[in-house]
Amino acid sequence: MTKTTIYHITYYDYDKSVYIQFLSCNFRCLGCIRRKFLWDHHLEDVERGLSSAKIELLEVEKLTEILNGVNREFGLKRAVLGGGEPTADPSFCNILKILHDLGLEVSILTNGYLLDKVLKCIHREDTLEIGIKSIWPERFAMYTSRKASDLNKVLSNIENAFKQGYKIIIETILIPEFNDAKDVEEVARFIATHLDTSTPLIIDEYIPVPTAPWRRPTYEELVEAKQRAEKHLKNVILRSSYTMKPKGKVYPIFPRAP
């Protein structure tokens, strides 16, 4: 049996999707939400009783069995891969094949660093949501614990995937005093210059985590970032607790809540 680094799966009933989360990551981001929530933070408090559950890594052969069970019980249309970093899993291509064989829509949330290694496994119908932590090399290095030059590889991989016709969404996090509205505008400028003005940009609200010094942005700061980005791009989306309402119900699939 082949172990993956999948440690957590949740089901969202509003769009019949599973969120498959990977434990390993090749970045060590200061603002990573895993520093605060090990399990899916969209779970309600009662279901977050997973706090007493032990981390268990899923075998790739078991994934098909679990997803078939979800499909029988609830119906299944879509899979979102996040983490951690999905592309860092040695079984990434096998996992994608399972999802494709099941006929699922696939979205991959990735930092983009290993995209050149796994792009051949990704279908053109899949969606790549690629996070740009900072457009500035030194800030990127400080935030991710990578080399400043590694940002060039991330940006190059984004451009290469775009040129090959992959579906790309760029995501960045508004972090006051680190990745401010003016910095988000520079991300938008990069997208408009190197990709296309119609490429979507998602601006996420930073959620404070232990050991990181930054606060949550205000709604006004998020709006300013969106307005600045819209000078360059046609499709800018805010993901914010100020405006987004919970959709449907979230169920823990793996591990099951005790």
Side-chain angles (χ1 to χ4, degrees), residues 195-228:
L195 308 184
D196 189 271
T197 57
S198 61
T199 301
L201 170 64
I202 294 173
I203 303 171
D204 272 324
E205 167 193 355
Y206 173 68
I207 298 174
V209 302
T211 74
W214 306 294
R215 61 171 172 83
R216 186 185 297 265
T218 65
Y219 178 65
E220 290 73 23
E221 288 169 327
L222 287 159
V223 169
E224 180 190 352
K226 184 174 188 289
Q227 290 172 341
R228 281 176 173 260

Side-chain angles (χ1 to χ4, degrees), residues 5-7 26 33 62 72 82 106 116 124 163 169 173 176 181 185 196 198 201 203 209 223 227 244 247 252 257-258:
T5 61
I6 296 170
Y7 78 103
N26 51 343
I33 199 167
K62 188 78 173 174
R72 284 193 302 270
V106 178
D116 55 325
R124 295 299 195 283
K163 288 174 182 175
I169 298 171
I173 304 172
E185 182 175 358
D196 189 271
S198 61
L201 170 64
I203 303 171
V209 302
V223 169
Q227 290 172 341
M244 294 179 67
K247 294 180 179 179

Side-chain angles (χ1 to χ4, degrees), residues 225-240:
K226 184 174 188 289
Q227 290 172 341
R228 281 176 173 260
E230 286 175 335
K231 296 176 186 177
H232 310 277
L233 301 174
K234 299 173 184 175
N235 190 6
V236 181
I237 303 138
L238 278 185
R239 277 199 305 221
S240 161

Side-chain angles (χ1 to χ4, degrees), residues 12-197:
Y12 288 69
D13 65 1
Y14 82 94
D15 65 349
K16 298 186 181 300
S17 69
V18 284
Y19 183 21
I20 301 171
Q21 300 190 44
F22 295 75
L23 190 62
S24 62
C25 192
N26 51 343
F27 286 10
R28 295 193 301 277
C29 295
L30 287 176
C32 180
I33 199 167
R34 292 291 158 259
R35 293 175 181 263
K36 184 170 184 176
F37 299 113
L38 177 61
W39 310 107
D40 190 335
H41 69 285
H42 296 100
L43 288 168
E44 295 178 1
D45 289 341
V46 172
E47 288 164 335
R48 207 176 285 140
L50 285 170
S51 57
S52 61
K54 293 181 180 179
I55 291 177
E56 178 185 350
L57 297 181
L58 191 65
E59 292 156 344
V60 70
E61 295 84 359
K62 188 78 173 174
L63 180 61
T64 302
E65 179 184 328
I66 287 175
L67 296 181
N68 281 331
V70 171
N71 192 32
R72 284 193 302 270
E73 188 171 352
F74 299 112
L76 185 57
K77 293 182 178 178
R78 183 168 175 256
V80 179
L81 280 59
E85 175 54 41
T87 64
D89 191 311
S91 297
F92 177 75
C93 288
N94 289 337
I95 292 164
L96 270 191
K97 185 177 186 307
I98 288 170
L99 302 178
H100 292 145
D101 287 349
L102 290 172
L104 300 179
E105 299 173 28
V106 178
S107 292
I108 303 160
L109 315 184
T110 176
N111 58 41
Y113 184 77
L114 294 172
L115 265 187
D116 55 325
K117 308 293 185 187
V118 300
L119 206 55
K120 63 184 183 298
C121 308
I122 300 169
H123 288 187
R124 295 299 195 283
E125 295 78 20
D126 299 338
T127 300
L128 289 166
E129 185 178 315
I130 308 169
I132 296 180
K133 312 305 180 184
S134 172
I135 201 68
W136 312 115
E138 294 305 323
R139 291 191 200 176
F140 170 88
M142 183 271 282
Y143 187 83
T144 64
S145 297
R146 301 288 309 196
K147 294 180 295 186
S149 59
D150 286 345
L151 175 61
N152 292 330
K153 183 178 179 185
V154 170
L155 300 181
S156 175
N157 282 347
I158 291 172
E159 289 187 65
N160 181 51
F162 175 77
K163 288 174 182 175
Q164 292 191 48
Y166 286 89
K167 291 166 60 176
I168 291 176
I169 298 171
I170 302 298
E171 177 265 354
T172 195
I173 304 172
L174 186 69
I175 306 177
E177 299 181 17
F178 175 79
N179 195 44
D180 282 313
K182 63 183 182 299
D183 305 306
V184 171
E185 182 175 358
E186 292 306 313
V187 173
R189 197 189 305 273
F190 165 82
I191 297 167
T193 304
H194 296 273
L195 308 184
D196 189 271
T197 57

